[in-house]
Amino acid sequence: MPQVPQTFDALAVRAWCGLALDALGRAREEIDAINVYPVADGDTGTNLYLTLESAATAVEAVFAGHEAGGGGDPGRPTLADAVRAMAHGALIGARGNSGTILAQLLRGMAQVLAGDDAPAHADGTGLGLALRHAADSARQAVAHPVEGTVLTVASAAADAAGAADGDCGAVARAAYEGACTALAETPDRLDVLRQAGVVDAGGRGLVTVLAALVESLTGETPRGPAARGPGPHPRAEAAHTVAAPCADDDAPPGPGGPAFEVIYLLEAEDAAVARLRERLDALGDSLVVVGGDGLWNVHVHVDDAGAAVEAGVEAGRPYRIRITHFGAGDAHAPGAERTPAERVQRAVVAVVPGEGLAGLCTEAGATAVLARPGEPPASGELVQAVRRAHAREVVLLPNDAELRHTAAAAAEQVRAEGVRVALIPTRSAVQGIAALAVHEPERRFDEDVVAMTSAAGATRYAEVTVAERQSWTMAGICQAGDVLGLVDGDVAVIGQDLTETALAVLDRMLAAGGELVTLVVGDGAPESVAERLQTRVREAYLAVDTVVHHGGRQGSVLLIGVE
């Protein structure tokens, strides 16, 4: 067996994230199947996986930066660098109730391991202190902590770690064993688990993450815990037929529950977040607010999703807003057995840069995946979107050249699950719009894919954006604040006025001919830009039509497509 370090350093963090991601990938379906609390929506394993994937990606980015010479010791960031990246990645990528709590657990560890006096590596005592602070901070982040959940498992792991002697491997093993014991007892603490005959899904996921921690420090893989509890139901699938109780221990289960899950990232001050907690707590349940230092991840279940978002707007700047409808009479309905819906024959999944295009795609019958600037969706998020489409055949539109490999990985994973997937390599949202416009579900799958691919390929694309820094481009040197016009991915025009630059880009594109111009206008564009461009087309290009869409908060000020 290769020598395994017994201290917790940056390499151990990297190994832990990789091993935990692999383990959650293998356990995801099992964890999803036993998900009954706080809502029996069957996604806890998936949410934990997506959250950890974001954390692991952030850690890899730190290592890549050092290997490129961005750090003092090439290829070797400090422990503080690694745990900060892990915590930040989990925070911005947290999904669902369980993922949000996992993000706070990792942040709690980082607060101990990345402090001003933190050493280059942590010993067993330091790791134990980090696990203690992680459990305490996660509990504080939940508005109404409930025993028999992941919070109980985290506290038990911290208790066991604090009582252990020895190096990091010994402490991690003690934490894992303490978590396993607490997990097995969760059905005794929460009636809904006992009735379903399962252990807590979030706790099961945390035990998987702790097992990966043991493996990263000792090289040995602990035996995994059982998913079933001592309840009367012999199959974990029974989890989906049981109603979830209220989030508050003292409140009796009601006849139903909130209809929506609302999650968003929030830039806000501490005082504003304190007021936000009070307001959201009055609106719904399952409230978890994690983060700090001006950036927060907010999770709540409510009936009025708009009010939850408005509360965030009053507190600061919410973004990456995700609203999920649980569905009437399913996840919250007491004793209501859910019959799996029949798969539709065909669906389209499209990645889009703003809420406006997300709405457009949804109206056209597609499943939209929102991609924020600098925050591209991970492969797991695309896989989840394809599953959500619930179709036998899926057309995947990445709408970004940088997402080609991510989309290909997602397509391969879903194909292994028996879904027929065609990946059309669209490089811009306007190419995706063109493909979606000719989509006909009644056609044979291959014919539909050919038609959509042809429409996308026949669409030239451009974007108008503002330079953030000085840099070399194909059109010369640009300065921060310059307006850039990119055609087919390369800078073609550098200007000072946004509208004039957009007109120059449009003329350059239409010089080669075209029949239809598509304009996607972002929130940062001048109100007159669309009208000016339409006027130019109408006066100078008589046979060309124009269509305008409002993209919302997208990365580029303006997107232009010419078919």
Side-chain angles (χ1 to χ4, degrees):
M1 179 182 297
Q3 191 71 23
V4 179
Q6 294 297 299
T7 56
F8 195 62
D9 59 7
L11 288 175
V13 173
R14 185 186 202 181
W16 180 28
C17 287
L19 291 169
L21 187 62
D22 290 343
L24 284 173
R26 294 189 299 270
R28 180 192 58 76
E29 291 184 0
E30 174 195 339
I31 297 172
D32 283 346
I34 64 171
N35 172 201
V36 300
Y37 186 84
V39 178
D41 49 355
D43 63 357
T44 290
T46 299
N47 287 336
L48 288 170
Y49 178 87
L50 292 173
T51 303
L52 215 295
E53 183 179 40
S54 183
T57 300
V59 172
E60 289 301 322
V62 167
F63 272 85
H66 278 259
E67 289 166 2
D73 183 5
R76 186 66 64 88
T78 65
L79 172 61
D81 292 334
V83 294
R84 284 196 195 104
M86 175 180 67
H88 182 72
L91 177 67
I92 65 173
R95 302 291 194 277
N97 189 73
S98 55
T100 307
I101 292 174
L102 176 61
Q104 186 66 9
L105 287 167
L106 297 180
R107 176 178 172 80
M109 292 186 69
Q111 286 175 325
V112 172
L113 299 173
D116 293 337
D117 299 325
H121 55 77
D123 57 12
T125 301
L127 180 58
L129 291 173
L131 291 170
R132 176 77 271 160
H133 187 65
D136 293 344
S137 61
R139 187 172 288 270
Q140 292 167 6
V142 178
H144 300 282
V146 175
E147 297 305 327
T149 65
V150 62
L151 298 176
T152 304
V153 176
S155 294
D159 291 342
D165 293 322
D167 57 23
C168 285
V171 171
R173 188 178 295 280
Y176 169 76
E177 292 172 354
C180 287
T181 299
L183 178 67
E185 296 171 353
T186 54
D188 298 329
R189 291 172 171 261
L190 202 55
D191 284 344
V192 67
L193 302 178
R194 178 184 56 77
Q195 293 168 13
V198 296
V199 296
D200 179 66
R204 174 69 177 86
L206 178 58
V207 166
T208 301
V209 173
L210 290 174
L213 178 61
V214 174
E215 184 176 358
S216 68
L217 292 168
T218 68
E220 300 175 2
T221 306
R223 181 181 177 184
R228 283 182 51 201
H233 296 293
R235 294 183 294 115
E237 287 83 349
H240 295 295
T241 70
V242 182
C246 295
D248 192 331
D249 275 332
D250 299 325
F260 297 97
E261 177 185 61
V262 179
I263 304 175
Y264 50 80
L265 289 177
L266 177 70
E267 293 179 356
E269 299 299 325
D270 291 6
V273 172
R275 293 191 296 270
L276 174 67
R277 289 178 190 269
E278 294 179 1
R279 181 167 179 188
L280 292 180
D281 193 25
L283 285 174
D285 61 30
S286 296
L287 173 61
V288 186
V289 181
V290 304
D293 302 321
L295 180 63
W296 308 81
N297 192 305
V298 179
H299 171 280
V300 67
H301 294 172
V302 293
D303 279 323
D304 190 344
V309 175
E310 288 174 7
V313 172
E314 292 180 5
R317 188 179 78 87
Y319 61 104
R320 290 193 72 173
I321 300 167
R322 298 182 182 87
I323 300 174
T324 302
H325 185 256
F326 290 126
D330 54 12
H332 289 287
E337 185 163 354
R338 295 191 295 177
T339 302
E342 181 68 22
R343 287 184 180 271
V344 298
Q345 183 61 32
R346 190 174 309 160
V348 177
V349 174
V351 180
V352 292
E355 296 91 341
L357 289 184
L360 176 68
C361 289
T362 301
E363 290 175 5
T367 298
V369 179
L370 197 60
R372 289 291 184 198
E375 300 171 359
S379 62
E381 190 168 355
L382 297 184
V383 169
Q384 190 180 37
V386 173
R387 291 185 182 127
R388 193 165 64 245
H390 203 57
R392 300 182 182 89
E393 302 168 338
V394 174
V395 180
L396 183 56
L397 305 173
N399 295 336
D400 187 338
E402 299 296 325
L403 287 178
R404 181 167 54 92
H405 295 299
T406 301
E412 283 302 314
Q413 184 173 343
V414 178
R415 288 187 187 111
E417 300 174 6
V419 179
R420 190 179 183 189
V421 181
L423 171 61
I424 298 179
T426 48
R427 295 172 291 174
S428 171
V430 290
Q431 289 189 323
I433 293 172
L436 194 56
V438 300
H439 167 56
E440 291 185 13
E442 295 77 17
R443 278 194 296 227
R444 290 178 56 249
F445 185 65
D446 291 339
E447 293 176 355
D448 197 28
V449 171
V450 168
M452 294 176 73
T453 303
S454 177
T459 302
R460 299 186 68 201
Y461 63 95
E463 62 178 305
V464 178
T465 188
V466 178
E468 296 181 354
R469 63 185 66 87
Q470 183 189 61
S471 61
W472 291 87
T473 74
M474 295 288 289
I477 301 175
C478 73
Q479 305 295 328
D482 283 349
V483 181
L484 306 181
L486 291 80
V487 178
D488 293 338
D490 293 323
V491 176
V493 180
I494 300 176
Q496 302 300 313
D497 181 80
L498 193 143
T499 300
E500 293 302 320
T501 303
L503 288 168
V505 170
L506 179 65
D507 288 337
R508 183 179 293 245
M509 296 182 73
L510 286 174
E515 298 176 355
L516 175 66
V517 171
T518 300
L519 304 175
V520 182
V521 184
D523 283 349
E527 294 183 3
S528 62
V529 66
E531 183 179 349
R532 289 281 304 278
L533 292 172
Q534 287 180 292
T535 300
R536 174 64 62 88
V537 172
R538 187 167 55 249
E539 293 177 351
Y541 306 96
L542 301 180
V544 180
D545 294 325
T546 308
V547 60
V548 178
H549 302 293
H550 294 283
R553 292 177 294 176
Q554 59 188 32
S556 301
V557 179
L558 176 69
L559 300 176
I560 304 174
V562 174
E563 298 179 46

Short mmCIF file of all heavy atoms in Angstrom, two decimals, residues 114-174:
data_model
loop_
_atom_site.label_atom_id
_atom_site.label_comp_id
_atom_site.label_asym_id
_atom_site.label_seq_id
_atom_site.Cartn_x
_atom_site.Cartn_y
_atom_site.Cartn_z
N ALA A 114 -8.32 27.74 7.98
CA ALA A 114 -7.77 28.82 7.16
C ALA A 114 -7.70 30.13 7.93
O ALA A 114 -7.69 31.20 7.34
CB ALA A 114 -8.61 29.00 5.89
N GLY A 115 -7.63 30.03 9.25
CA GLY A 115 -7.52 31.23 10.05
C GLY A 115 -6.16 31.90 9.91
O GLY A 115 -5.24 31.36 9.27
N ASP A 116 -6.03 33.06 10.50
CA ASP A 116 -4.78 33.82 10.36
C ASP A 116 -3.57 33.05 10.89
O ASP A 116 -2.47 33.16 10.35
CB ASP A 116 -4.90 35.15 11.11
CG ASP A 116 -5.93 36.08 10.47
OD1 ASP A 116 -6.19 35.90 9.26
OD2 ASP A 116 -6.46 36.95 11.17
N ASP A 117 -3.76 32.26 11.94
CA ASP A 117 -2.66 31.52 12.53
C ASP A 117 -2.66 30.05 12.13
O ASP A 117 -2.02 29.22 12.79
CB ASP A 117 -2.72 31.62 14.07
CG ASP A 117 -2.62 33.07 14.54
OD1 ASP A 117 -1.89 33.84 13.89
OD2 ASP A 117 -3.29 33.42 15.54
N ALA A 118 -3.41 29.71 11.08
CA ALA A 118 -3.51 28.31 10.67
C ALA A 118 -2.17 27.79 10.17
O ALA A 118 -1.45 28.48 9.44
CB ALA A 118 -4.56 28.15 9.57
N PRO A 119 -1.81 26.55 10.54
CA PRO A 119 -0.54 25.98 10.08
C PRO A 119 -0.63 25.51 8.63
O PRO A 119 -1.71 25.50 8.03
CB PRO A 119 -0.35 24.79 11.03
CG PRO A 119 -1.76 24.39 11.36
CD PRO A 119 -2.55 25.67 11.43
N ALA A 120 0.51 25.10 8.07
CA ALA A 120 0.54 24.61 6.69
C ALA A 120 -0.21 23.30 6.56
O ALA A 120 -0.70 22.96 5.48
CB ALA A 120 1.99 24.43 6.24
N HIS A 121 -0.32 22.56 7.66
CA HIS A 121 -1.11 21.34 7.67
C HIS A 121 -1.68 21.15 9.06
O HIS A 121 -1.13 21.64 10.05
CB HIS A 121 -0.28 20.12 7.25
CG HIS A 121 0.96 19.94 8.06
ND1 HIS A 121 0.96 19.42 9.33
CD2 HIS A 121 2.26 20.25 7.78
CE1 HIS A 121 2.20 19.38 9.80
NE2 HIS A 121 3.00 19.88 8.87
N ALA A 122 -2.82 20.44 9.15
CA ALA A 122 -3.48 20.25 10.43
C ALA A 122 -3.16 18.87 10.98
O ALA A 122 -3.10 17.89 10.23
CB ALA A 122 -4.99 20.41 10.28
N ASP A 123 -2.98 18.78 12.31
CA ASP A 123 -2.81 17.48 12.95
C ASP A 123 -4.17 16.97 13.40
O ASP A 123 -5.22 17.56 13.10
CB ASP A 123 -1.83 17.59 14.12
CG ASP A 123 -2.29 18.63 15.16
OD1 ASP A 123 -3.44 19.09 15.08
OD2 ASP A 123 -1.47 18.96 16.04
N GLY A 124 -4.17 15.87 14.15
CA GLY A 124 -5.43 15.28 14.57
C GLY A 124 -6.27 16.22 15.41
O GLY A 124 -7.49 16.30 15.25
N THR A 125 -5.62 16.97 16.30
CA THR A 125 -6.35 17.91 17.14
C THR A 125 -7.01 19.00 16.30
O THR A 125 -8.17 19.36 16.51
CB THR A 125 -5.41 18.54 18.18
OG1 THR A 125 -4.84 17.51 18.99
CG2 THR A 125 -6.15 19.53 19.05
N GLY A 126 -6.25 19.53 15.35
CA GLY A 126 -6.79 20.57 14.48
C GLY A 126 -7.97 20.09 13.66
O GLY A 126 -8.96 20.80 13.48
N LEU A 127 -7.88 18.86 13.14
CA LEU A 127 -8.98 18.30 12.36
C LEU A 127 -10.21 18.12 13.23
O LEU A 127 -11.34 18.41 12.81
CB LEU A 127 -8.57 16.98 11.73
CG LEU A 127 -9.62 16.27 10.87
CD1 LEU A 127 -10.07 17.17 9.71
CD2 LEU A 127 -9.08 14.95 10.33
N GLY A 128 -10.01 17.67 14.48
CA GLY A 128 -11.13 17.52 15.39
C GLY A 128 -11.82 18.83 15.69
O GLY A 128 -13.05 18.92 15.72
N LEU A 129 -11.02 19.89 15.90
CA LEU A 129 -11.60 21.21 16.14
C LEU A 129 -12.38 21.70 14.92
O LEU A 129 -13.44 22.33 15.06
CB LEU A 129 -10.49 22.20 16.48
CG LEU A 129 -9.79 22.01 17.84
CD1 LEU A 129 -8.60 22.95 17.96
CD2 LEU A 129 -10.78 22.25 18.98
N ALA A 130 -11.86 21.42 13.73
CA ALA A 130 -12.56 21.83 12.50
C ALA A 130 -13.90 21.12 12.36
O ALA A 130 -14.91 21.74 11.99
CB ALA A 130 -11.68 21.55 11.29
N LEU A 131 -13.95 19.84 12.67
CA LEU A 131 -15.20 19.09 12.59
C LEU A 131 -16.20 19.58 13.64
O LEU A 131 -17.42 19.63 13.38
CB LEU A 131 -14.94 17.60 12.76
CG LEU A 131 -14.17 16.94 11.60
CD1 LEU A 131 -13.73 15.52 11.98
CD2 LEU A 131 -15.03 16.91 10.33
N ARG A 132 -15.71 19.96 14.81
CA ARG A 132 -16.59 20.50 15.85
C ARG A 132 -17.22 21.82 15.41
O ARG A 132 -18.43 22.03 15.55
CB ARG A 132 -15.78 20.73 17.12
CG ARG A 132 -16.50 21.38 18.29
CD ARG A 132 -17.40 20.39 19.01
NE ARG A 132 -18.74 20.32 18.43
CZ ARG A 132 -19.57 19.28 18.62
NH1 ARG A 132 -19.17 18.24 19.33
NH2 ARG A 132 -20.77 19.28 18.09
N HIS A 133 -16.39 22.71 14.89
CA HIS A 133 -16.91 24.01 14.45
C HIS A 133 -17.85 23.83 13.27
O HIS A 133 -18.85 24.56 13.14
CB HIS A 133 -15.76 24.94 14.08
CG HIS A 133 -16.20 26.34 13.78
ND1 HIS A 133 -16.75 27.17 14.73
CD2 HIS A 133 -16.19 27.05 12.62
CE1 HIS A 133 -17.06 28.33 14.18
NE2 HIS A 133 -16.73 28.28 12.90
N ALA A 134 -17.57 22.87 12.39
CA ALA A 134 -18.44 22.60 11.24
C ALA A 134 -19.83 22.21 11.70
O ALA A 134 -20.85 22.73 11.21
CB ALA A 134 -17.83 21.51 10.37
N ALA A 135 -19.90 21.28 12.66
CA ALA A 135 -21.21 20.81 13.14
C ALA A 135 -21.98 21.93 13.83
O ALA A 135 -23.19 22.09 13.62
CB ALA A 135 -21.01 19.64 14.09
N ASP A 136 -21.28 22.73 14.65
CA ASP A 136 -21.95 23.81 15.37
C ASP A 136 -22.46 24.89 14.42
O ASP A 136 -23.58 25.40 14.56
CB ASP A 136 -20.99 24.43 16.39
CG ASP A 136 -20.65 23.46 17.52
OD1 ASP A 136 -21.36 22.45 17.67
OD2 ASP A 136 -19.64 23.70 18.22
N SER A 137 -21.64 25.26 13.42
CA SER A 137 -22.05 26.33 12.50
C SER A 137 -23.19 25.87 11.60
O SER A 137 -24.08 26.67 11.26
CB SER A 137 -20.86 26.79 11.66
OG SER A 137 -20.35 25.73 10.87
N ALA A 138 -23.22 24.60 11.23
CA ALA A 138 -24.32 24.09 10.41
C ALA A 138 -25.63 24.12 11.20
O ALA A 138 -26.68 24.50 10.67
CB ALA A 138 -24.02 22.68 9.93
N ARG A 139 -25.57 23.76 12.46
CA ARG A 139 -26.77 23.78 13.29
C ARG A 139 -27.29 25.22 13.45
O ARG A 139 -28.51 25.46 13.42
CB ARG A 139 -26.47 23.16 14.65
CG ARG A 139 -27.67 22.96 15.55
CD ARG A 139 -27.28 22.16 16.78
NE ARG A 139 -27.04 20.76 16.45
CZ ARG A 139 -27.97 19.82 16.46
NH1 ARG A 139 -29.22 20.13 16.79
NH2 ARG A 139 -27.67 18.57 16.16
N GLN A 140 -26.38 26.17 13.60
CA GLN A 140 -26.78 27.56 13.75
C GLN A 140 -27.40 28.12 12.47
O GLN A 140 -28.19 29.06 12.52
CB GLN A 140 -25.57 28.40 14.15
CG GLN A 140 -25.06 28.10 15.55
CD GLN A 140 -23.69 28.69 15.81
OE1 GLN A 140 -23.16 29.43 14.97
NE2 GLN A 140 -23.11 28.37 16.96
N ALA A 141 -27.04 27.55 11.33
CA ALA A 141 -27.54 28.05 10.06
C ALA A 141 -28.98 27.63 9.77
O ALA A 141 -29.64 28.22 8.93
CB ALA A 141 -26.65 27.57 8.91
N VAL A 142 -29.45 26.59 10.47
CA VAL A 142 -30.81 26.08 10.26
C VAL A 142 -31.76 26.76 11.23
O VAL A 142 -31.51 26.80 12.44
CB VAL A 142 -30.84 24.54 10.46
CG1 VAL A 142 -32.26 24.01 10.29
CG2 VAL A 142 -29.89 23.87 9.46
N ALA A 143 -32.85 27.30 10.69
CA ALA A 143 -33.78 28.08 11.53
C ALA A 143 -34.38 27.24 12.64
O ALA A 143 -34.50 27.69 13.78
CB ALA A 143 -34.88 28.68 10.65
N HIS A 144 -34.77 26.01 12.34
CA HIS A 144 -35.39 25.12 13.33
C HIS A 144 -34.74 23.74 13.23
O HIS A 144 -35.24 22.86 12.53
CB HIS A 144 -36.91 25.02 13.09
CG HIS A 144 -37.62 26.33 13.18
ND1 HIS A 144 -37.93 26.93 14.38
CD2 HIS A 144 -38.04 27.18 12.21
CE1 HIS A 144 -38.54 28.09 14.16
NE2 HIS A 144 -38.62 28.26 12.84
N PRO A 145 -33.64 23.54 13.92
CA PRO A 145 -32.93 22.26 13.84
C PRO A 145 -33.83 21.10 14.29
O PRO A 145 -34.59 21.22 15.26
CB PRO A 145 -31.74 22.44 14.79
CG PRO A 145 -31.57 23.91 14.91
CD PRO A 145 -32.93 24.49 14.80
N VAL A 146 -33.73 19.99 13.59
CA VAL A 146 -34.51 18.80 13.89
C VAL A 146 -33.55 17.65 14.15
O VAL A 146 -32.62 17.42 13.36
CB VAL A 146 -35.46 18.46 12.72
CG1 VAL A 146 -36.19 17.14 12.97
CG2 VAL A 146 -36.47 19.59 12.51
N GLU A 147 -33.77 16.92 15.24
CA GLU A 147 -32.92 15.77 15.53
C GLU A 147 -33.32 14.58 14.66
O GLU A 147 -34.48 14.43 14.28
CB GLU A 147 -33.01 15.41 17.01
CG GLU A 147 -32.50 16.50 17.94
CD GLU A 147 -31.07 16.93 17.61
OE1 GLU A 147 -30.27 16.08 17.18
OE2 GLU A 147 -30.75 18.12 17.78
N GLY A 148 -32.35 13.74 14.39
CA GLY A 148 -32.59 12.61 13.49
C GLY A 148 -32.28 12.95 12.05
O GLY A 148 -32.63 12.19 11.15
N THR A 149 -31.61 14.09 11.84
CA THR A 149 -31.25 14.53 10.49
C THR A 149 -29.73 14.59 10.36
O THR A 149 -28.99 14.16 11.25
CB THR A 149 -31.83 15.92 10.22
OG1 THR A 149 -31.22 16.87 11.11
CG2 THR A 149 -33.34 15.94 10.43
N VAL A 150 -29.27 15.17 9.28
CA VAL A 150 -27.84 15.31 9.04
C VAL A 150 -27.18 16.13 10.15
O VAL A 150 -25.99 15.92 10.45
CB VAL A 150 -27.59 15.96 7.66
CG1 VAL A 150 -28.17 17.35 7.58
CG2 VAL A 150 -26.11 15.98 7.33
N LEU A 151 -27.91 17.03 10.79
CA LEU A 151 -27.34 17.81 11.88
C LEU A 151 -26.96 16.90 13.05
O LEU A 151 -25.92 17.09 13.69
CB LEU A 151 -28.33 18.87 12.35
CG LEU A 151 -28.71 19.93 11.31
CD1 LEU A 151 -29.77 20.87 11.88
CD2 LEU A 151 -27.50 20.72 10.85
N THR A 152 -27.79 15.93 13.35
CA THR A 152 -27.49 14.97 14.42
C THR A 152 -26.26 14.16 14.08
O THR A 152 -25.39 13.92 14.92
CB THR A 152 -28.70 14.04 14.64
OG1 THR A 152 -29.86 14.83 14.91
CG2 THR A 152 -28.45 13.08 15.78
N VAL A 153 -26.18 13.72 12.84
CA VAL A 153 -25.04 12.91 12.40
C VAL A 153 -23.75 13.73 12.46
O VAL A 153 -22.70 13.24 12.90
CB VAL A 153 -25.29 12.37 10.98
CG1 VAL A 153 -24.07 11.62 10.46
CG2 VAL A 153 -26.52 11.47 10.96
N ALA A 154 -23.81 15.00 12.06
CA ALA A 154 -22.63 15.85 12.09
C ALA A 154 -22.17 16.09 13.53
O ALA A 154 -20.97 16.08 13.82
CB ALA A 154 -22.93 17.18 11.40
N SER A 155 -23.12 16.30 14.43
CA SER A 155 -22.76 16.52 15.83
C SER A 155 -22.11 15.27 16.44
O SER A 155 -21.13 15.37 17.19
CB SER A 155 -23.99 16.91 16.64
OG SER A 155 -24.49 18.17 16.23
N ALA A 156 -22.65 14.10 16.11
CA ALA A 156 -22.07 12.86 16.62
C ALA A 156 -20.67 12.65 16.09
O ALA A 156 -19.77 12.18 16.81
CB ALA A 156 -22.97 11.69 16.25
N ALA A 157 -20.46 12.98 14.82
CA ALA A 157 -19.11 12.86 14.23
C ALA A 157 -18.14 13.78 14.95
O ALA A 157 -17.00 13.39 15.26
CB ALA A 157 -19.17 13.18 12.74
N ALA A 158 -18.58 15.00 15.24
CA ALA A 158 -17.71 15.95 15.93
C ALA A 158 -17.42 15.50 17.35
O ALA A 158 -16.29 15.63 17.84
CB ALA A 158 -18.37 17.33 15.94
N ASP A 159 -18.42 14.95 18.04
CA ASP A 159 -18.21 14.44 19.39
C ASP A 159 -17.16 13.33 19.41
O ASP A 159 -16.25 13.32 20.25
CB ASP A 159 -19.52 13.91 19.97
CG ASP A 159 -20.53 15.02 20.26
OD1 ASP A 159 -20.12 16.19 20.32
OD2 ASP A 159 -21.73 14.70 20.38
N ALA A 160 -17.30 12.40 18.48
CA ALA A 160 -16.36 11.27 18.42
C ALA A 160 -14.96 11.74 18.05
O ALA A 160 -13.96 11.25 18.59
CB ALA A 160 -16.87 10.24 17.41
N ALA A 161 -14.88 12.71 17.13
CA ALA A 161 -13.57 13.22 16.72
C ALA A 161 -12.88 13.92 17.88
O ALA A 161 -11.67 13.79 18.09
CB ALA A 161 -13.72 14.17 15.54
N GLY A 162 -13.66 14.66 18.68
CA GLY A 162 -13.09 15.39 19.80
C GLY A 162 -12.57 14.48 20.90
O GLY A 162 -11.65 14.84 21.64
N ALA A 163 -13.14 13.28 21.00
CA ALA A 163 -12.72 12.33 22.04
C ALA A 163 -11.58 11.43 21.58
O ALA A 163 -11.05 10.65 22.37
CB ALA A 163 -13.92 11.48 22.47
N ALA A 164 -11.22 11.50 20.31
CA ALA A 164 -10.21 10.60 19.77
C ALA A 164 -8.80 11.14 20.00
O ALA A 164 -8.58 12.35 20.06
CB ALA A 164 -10.44 10.41 18.27
N ASP A 165 -7.86 10.22 20.14
CA ASP A 165 -6.44 10.56 20.23
C ASP A 165 -5.75 10.05 18.97
O ASP A 165 -6.18 9.08 18.35
CB ASP A 165 -5.80 9.90 21.45
CG ASP A 165 -6.34 10.48 22.75
OD1 ASP A 165 -6.58 11.70 22.78
OD2 ASP A 165 -6.54 9.70 23.71
N GLY A 166 -4.66 10.71 18.61
CA GLY A 166 -3.88 10.24 17.49
C GLY A 166 -3.82 11.22 16.35
O GLY A 166 -4.16 12.40 16.49
N ASP A 167 -3.38 10.71 15.21
CA ASP A 167 -3.19 11.57 14.04
C ASP A 167 -4.51 11.80 13.32
O ASP A 167 -5.58 11.39 13.79
CB ASP A 167 -2.15 10.94 13.10
CG ASP A 167 -2.55 9.54 12.66
OD1 ASP A 167 -3.75 9.21 12.70
OD2 ASP A 167 -1.65 8.75 12.28
N CYS A 168 -4.43 12.46 12.16
CA CYS A 168 -5.65 12.80 11.42
C CYS A 168 -6.43 11.57 10.98
O CYS A 168 -7.66 11.57 10.97
CB CYS A 168 -5.29 13.65 10.20
SG CYS A 168 -4.85 15.35 10.59
N GLY A 169 -5.70 10.51 10.62
CA GLY A 169 -6.39 9.30 10.20
C GLY A 169 -7.23 8.72 11.32
O GLY A 169 -8.38 8.30 11.10
N ALA A 170 -6.71 8.72 12.54
CA ALA A 170 -7.45 8.19 13.69
C ALA A 170 -8.66 9.06 14.00
O ALA A 170 -9.75 8.56 14.31
CB ALA A 170 -6.52 8.10 14.90
N VAL A 171 -8.47 10.38 13.91
CA VAL A 171 -9.58 11.29 14.19
C VAL A 171 -10.67 11.14 13.13
O VAL A 171 -11.87 11.12 13.44
CB VAL A 171 -9.07 12.74 14.26
CG1 VAL A 171 -10.23 13.73 14.31
CG2 VAL A 171 -8.16 12.92 15.46
N ALA A 172 -10.29 11.05 11.87
CA ALA A 172 -11.26 10.89 10.80
C ALA A 172 -12.03 9.59 10.95
O ALA A 172 -13.25 9.54 10.75
CB ALA A 172 -10.57 10.94 9.44
N ARG A 173 -11.32 8.52 11.33
CA ARG A 173 -12.00 7.23 11.50
C ARG A 173 -12.99 7.29 12.66
O ARG A 173 -14.10 6.76 12.57
CB ARG A 173 -10.97 6.12 11.73
CG ARG A 173 -11.59 4.73 11.73
CD ARG A 173 -10.53 3.66 11.90
NE ARG A 173 -9.61 3.65 10.77
CZ ARG A 173 -9.87 3.07 9.60
NH1 ARG A 173 -11.04 2.47 9.41
NH2 ARG A 173 -8.98 3.09 8.63
N ALA A 174 -12.60 7.96 13.74
CA ALA A 174 -13.51 8.09 14.88
C ALA A 174 -14.75 8.89 14.47
O ALA A 174 -15.88 8.54 14.85
CB ALA A 174 -12.79 8.78 16.03
#
